[in-house]
Amino acid sequence: MEDPEKNSLLRRLPSVDALTSSAAGRALGARHGRLPLARAARRAIADARRLLLAGEGDGSVSPDALEAALAAELAPAQRRVLNATGVVLHTNFGRAPLAAAAVERLREAAEGYTNLEYDLESGERGSRQAALEPLLCELTSAEAALAVNNNAGAVLLALTALGQGREAIVSRGELVEIGGGFRVPDVMRQSGVQLVEVGTTNKTRLADYEAAVTERTALLVKVHRSNFAMVGFCEEAAPAEVAELGRRRGLPLLDDLGSGCLADVAPLGLPRERTAADAVRDGASLVTFSGDKLLGGPQAGIVVGRRELVERLRRHPLQRALRIDKLSAAALEATLRLYRDGREREIPAIAMLASRGPELRRRAERLRAALAAREVPCELVETSGQVGGGALPLAELPSWAVALRPGQLEPLAARLRKGGPPVIGRLAEERLLLDVRTVGDGEVELLSERVAEAWHDVPARAPAGGGREAGVQVDGGHA
Ligand SMILES: *Cc1c(COP(=O)(O)O)cnc(C)c1O
């Protein structure tokens, strides 16, 4: 486009003033405020300019376009999404949704003051750990416990407090990257602990640990492989054996469980996973795990183990920098109480993992019927989801989904991401799958509305060459 031509086109764009003082602008401003309206006007003008320069539109901003721009300005950047991926603990989607009891406590703590660090008996300063420690000890049979901001923080704190300036022995088969760039060796270096790698990628024996112990050794470390599994010619020393070696040589064992489940998940139909209580029973001196993976609570890092070592962590200056906040502490206490009272099925992550075929099929059938009623062609299919959050990477969760076969897959997926709330599904074999394991019964109607809206909005046929599988990648398997 020639410059003079372009300039004369751009002169057609309205000014911010013209938009905010139009009839539509004044009405919107009265309802939502002058400042958001001015931001919306600038956004709408920028959109119109882009269209003009692309040779589309006439440079005008309609009242509808202004209202849409205002809605976009007012929508929070962090918002609810409908997770139809079937990945229960999806790190990209905030991991575990909280139980109703935890949400209630969270709200109460957020709205007012709490006795976070105040002892109501004595009227003196108390500890934010006082409410959590007895629950954690009861649930894991550990002597002492400490909650911090997240598990990466728990590992960093434990390594720093026990091993700074000295050596820690860890198996080469356990030096994993957890996801989001969290690499175990990097964290260890950050703590000022020198890493002594033993064994090989696929085989590490107890003798390998034993041979590496010197007077510089401060601790032995075991790390859950989380998002990754080894099959075939492989071997790892059992945690109980490593703990026993530690006892003989006077060295503590730090066992980072990662996901850290509190209750046995086998009754949910999942592969057996070591619980935090198992790790304590196996003789680990300190056990660390996340609050928002299999546990199903808020973001938190939990350390349980021998009292004298937990006390060293508690007194370390890093502990103050990593401490758990009052909102997470409130939600964590409520979640732990559900475990203590045998009510863990009220925890959404546990309930979703426990959902069985017939229940999922009924929900998928409801979703299919609701979509059919909105004239969206789709079919019921059997599929499988994942636990996510780096937990149980080999576990396939048999599930039911509704499959859509749009002319253009990526434009539909993109339109679904823009809805309110956005919908994220799974792309497989030219189809969009909506896996209902991670969709609440109460969300089926809303999901069908959003999907129908997007379906009827996106042209059915691709321009030549379109409709390839692309875009909504779902990689919740790691953490
Ligand atoms: C997830 C994970 C972590 C990090 O936990 P966050 O709660 O995400 O900080 C550390 N170690 C292992 C083995 C993990 O799986």
Side-chain angles (χ1 to χ4, degrees):
M1 199 180 312
E2 291 300 316
D3 264 3
E5 196 185 327
K6 192 158 98 185
N7 284 340
S8 93
L9 267 178
L10 291 178
R11 268 195 293 277
R12 294 188 205 160
L13 292 169
S15 67
V16 172
D17 253 5
L19 285 182
T20 54
S21 58
S22 66
R26 286 201 310 276
L28 290 170
R31 217 168 333 132
H32 301 287
R34 204 166 46 77
L35 292 177
L37 177 66
R39 276 203 310 278
R42 282 194 288 275
R43 177 192 278 255
I45 294 165
D47 290 345
R49 172 198 299 270
R50 243 190 321 277
L51 283 175
L52 260 186
L53 292 178
E56 292 168 42
D58 61 2
S60 65
V61 173
S62 68
D64 279 353
L66 183 61
E67 187 164 0
L70 183 58
E73 280 295 332
L74 293 174
Q78 296 263 328
R79 55 198 147 128
R80 173 184 180 194
V81 303
L82 294 173
N83 172 10
T85 64
V87 181
V88 175
L89 298 167
H90 204 301
T91 295
N92 300 163
F93 303 150
R95 292 192 185 155
L98 295 178
V103 172
E104 205 174 299
R105 293 295 323 283
L106 185 66
R107 167 180 291 278
E108 196 180 291
E111 273 174 355
Y113 300 108
T114 73
N115 60 333
L116 181 68
E117 290 194 347
Y118 184 76
D119 184 343
L120 292 170
E121 287 284 324
S122 66
E124 284 166 14
R125 186 184 177 126
S127 160
R128 66 183 64 208
Q129 305 291 341
L132 300 171
E133 186 170 25
L135 285 164
L136 287 166
C137 290
E138 185 175 338
L139 289 166
T140 62
S141 308
E143 292 170 13
L146 179 69
V148 294
N149 180 65
N150 63 355
N151 190 34
V155 173
L156 178 66
L157 174 62
L159 287 169
T160 310
L162 303 189
Q164 194 164 44
R166 297 173 65 205
E167 293 177 354
I169 301 176
V170 64
S171 161
R172 287 201 168 86
E174 295 176 349
L175 291 173
V176 293
E177 171 169 324
I178 307 298
F182 178 90
R183 290 187 163 172
V184 170
D186 294 342
V187 176
M188 296 187 100
R189 268 191 287 280
Q190 196 58 45
S191 67
V193 172
Q194 195 185 335
L195 202 59
V196 177
E197 302 174 17
V198 296
T200 60
T201 303
N202 59 329
K203 288 221 177 201
T204 302
R205 301 187 181 83
L206 190 65
D208 295 319
Y209 288 88
E210 184 131 38
V213 175
T214 67
E215 72 285 357
R216 289 182 39 78
T217 309
L219 72 160
L220 310 173
V221 178
K222 282 203 69 78
V223 184
H224 193 292
R225 287 200 192 100
S226 294
N227 50 13
F228 148 80
M230 290 213 284
V231 291
F233 191 61
C234 51
E235 180 180 339
E236 274 299 340
E241 286 179 329
V242 182
E244 166 54 26
L245 167 66
R247 264 193 305 278
R248 270 193 280 120
R249 307 298 294 261
L251 297 168
L253 167 65
L254 167 64
D255 192 348
D256 176 21
L257 284 185
S259 194
C261 55
L262 282 181
D264 185 7
V265 290
L268 309 181
L270 293 171
R272 178 94 179 82
E273 174 76 7
R274 275 170 85 226
T275 63
D278 292 335
V280 170
R281 191 172 324 113
D282 283 342
S285 321
L286 289 180
V287 180
T288 56
F289 50 101
S290 291
D292 54 351
K293 292 185 181 172
L294 269 179
L295 198 154
Q299 180 185 305
I302 295 164
V303 191
V304 302
R306 293 210 335 250
R307 171 153 307 282
E308 164 246 329
L309 298 179
V310 171
E311 281 311 318
R312 268 163 71 186
L313 268 55
R314 206 190 300 280
R315 285 192 307 269
H316 195 279
L318 246 193
Q319 191 274 128
R320 178 62 171 73
L322 293 169
R323 72 180 182 183
I324 189 168
D325 73 287
K326 78 162 178 174
L327 302 183
S328 303
L332 183 59
E333 183 193 336
T335 307
L336 294 174
R337 280 172 175 269
L338 291 175
Y339 279 101
R340 188 196 58 185
D341 298 341
R343 291 167 52 190
E344 63 265 25
R345 294 284 173 119
E346 293 174 37
I347 297 170
I350 301 292
M352 286 186 227
L353 290 171
S355 307
R356 281 292 152 34
E359 178 193 347
L360 294 167
R361 189 186 176 141
R362 270 194 303 280
R363 193 180 301 150
E365 177 50 42
R366 271 185 56 216
L367 177 60
R368 194 203 56 77
L371 283 169
R374 295 182 161 93
E375 291 172 19
V376 178
C378 56
E379 55 179 351
L380 215 61
V381 296
E382 280 192 88
T383 181
S384 70
Q386 290 171 4
V387 177
L392 302 164
L394 297 185
E396 298 245 316
L397 304 177
S399 185
W400 284 87
V402 170
L404 283 76
R405 206 180 272 282
Q408 312 185 68
L409 206 46
E410 173 49 28
L412 178 67
R415 176 63 184 76
L416 283 168
R417 292 196 299 269
K418 282 208 190 75
V423 173
I424 325 284
R426 202 162 73 223
L427 300 189
E429 295 157 11
E430 307 282 304
R431 295 180 306 180
L432 176 77
L433 299 185
L434 303 168
D435 186 328
V436 296
R437 182 183 294 274
T438 44
V439 176
D441 273 323
E443 291 179 325
V444 169
E445 268 307 300
L446 180 60
L447 177 61
S448 72
E449 258 173 51
R450 292 286 84 88
V451 171
E453 201 176 273
W455 179 270
H456 295 300
D457 226 30
V458 172
R461 276 292 128 218
R468 235 178 28 80
E469 183 168 319
V472 204
Q473 108 302 8
V474 168
D475 56 353
H478 59 65

